[in-house]
Amino acid sequence: MLCMTEPIHQTGKVNTMNFRFCVSKRIVEMHKKGVYGQALRKNVEPKTVLGDEIDNHFIGKPIGSTETMKQALDGVDYFVHCQKEMKYVTKIISTHGMLSVVPTHQTFRIVNGQRITFQYPEPISGHNRAKHWVDNHNNHRHDPIDLAETWQTKWWPNW
């Protein structure tokens, strides 16, 4: 992960990662290099993130409830931003972010035939909005369709 983020070291930019890359130690190492990291982690690391304890803490809380758990590794604080879903608790391991809701990123779940709406907090909203950027870019780049069709552009001023 450090090699991949080397061009943005010391910039203070945020790198959103897939859970396959998420190891608390790697996120802390990126933070030491001046890059904020965040990653969705479905199966948390039992030694550094207390996943079962977090899941148990959210039992009985309503869908959409959010909390941040603070942890430390090698003297660097990192956060586990959590949001209760219908069947699980979403966990984003991060060295930045706050649980302020993003008013423009509202979602809903249907529970027992009733619609429950809630807003995503900033770290989860950022992850959900960014998680497909690389895949979408690669799909467009490898797609046999020309860019004019992909971009839906019908007018080219310099042609």
Side-chain angles (χ1 to χ4, degrees), residues 116-142:
I116 298 174
T117 58
F118 58 93
Q119 294 168 327
Y120 284 119
E122 182 266 328
I124 296 172
S125 174
H127 176 80
N128 287 343
R129 291 179 183 208
K131 65 185 175 184
H132 296 298
W133 285 351
V134 172
D135 290 337
N136 289 346
H137 171 74
N138 286 338
N139 288 341
H140 287 303
R141 189 167 52 97
H142 295 280

Side-chain angles (χ1 to χ4, degrees), residues 63-64 83-86 88 90 107-111 113-118 120 128:
I63 293 174
Q83 184 166 37
K84 170 81 175 192
E85 292 283 348
M86 195 162 42
Y88 58 91
T90 299
T107 189
F108 70 93
R109 303 290 181 268
I110 304 294
V111 179
Q114 292 204 325
R115 181 183 171 115
I116 298 174
T117 58
F118 58 93
Y120 284 119
N128 287 343

Side-chain angles (χ1 to χ4, degrees), residues 22-131:
C22 179
V23 177
S24 302
K25 184 173 177 132
R26 289 181 184 157
I27 289 180
V28 166
E29 291 301 318
M30 283 175 36
H31 183 76
K32 290 178 182 177
K33 298 286 186 183
V35 176
Y36 295 104
Q38 75 174 32
L40 175 70
R41 186 64 179 178
K42 293 182 181 178
N43 301 316
V44 295
E45 305 142 35
K47 292 180 183 177
T48 55
V49 179
L50 307 172
D52 290 337
E53 289 183 24
I54 292 171
D55 290 343
N56 291 336
H57 176 74
F58 276 89
I59 291 175
K61 295 196 180 218
I63 293 174
S65 297
T66 59
E67 285 191 43
T68 294
M69 314 301 181
K70 184 176 176 182
Q71 309 256 331
L73 184 65
D74 296 336
V76 176
D77 290 338
Y78 68 94
F79 308 101
V80 184
H81 302 292
C82 307
Q83 184 166 37
K84 170 81 175 192
E85 292 283 348
M86 195 162 42
K87 296 180 181 178
Y88 58 91
V89 177
T90 299
K91 300 166 191 82
I92 299 271
I93 300 172
S94 172
T95 52
H96 80 288
M98 299 173 51
L99 281 182
S100 332
V101 296
V102 178
T104 58
H105 200 171
Q106 186 167 330
T107 189
F108 70 93
R109 303 290 181 268
I110 304 294
V111 179
N112 298 327
Q114 292 204 325
R115 181 183 171 115
I116 298 174
T117 58
F118 58 93
Q119 294 168 327
Y120 284 119
E122 182 266 328
I124 296 172
S125 174
H127 176 80
N128 287 343
R129 291 179 183 208
K131 65 185 175 184

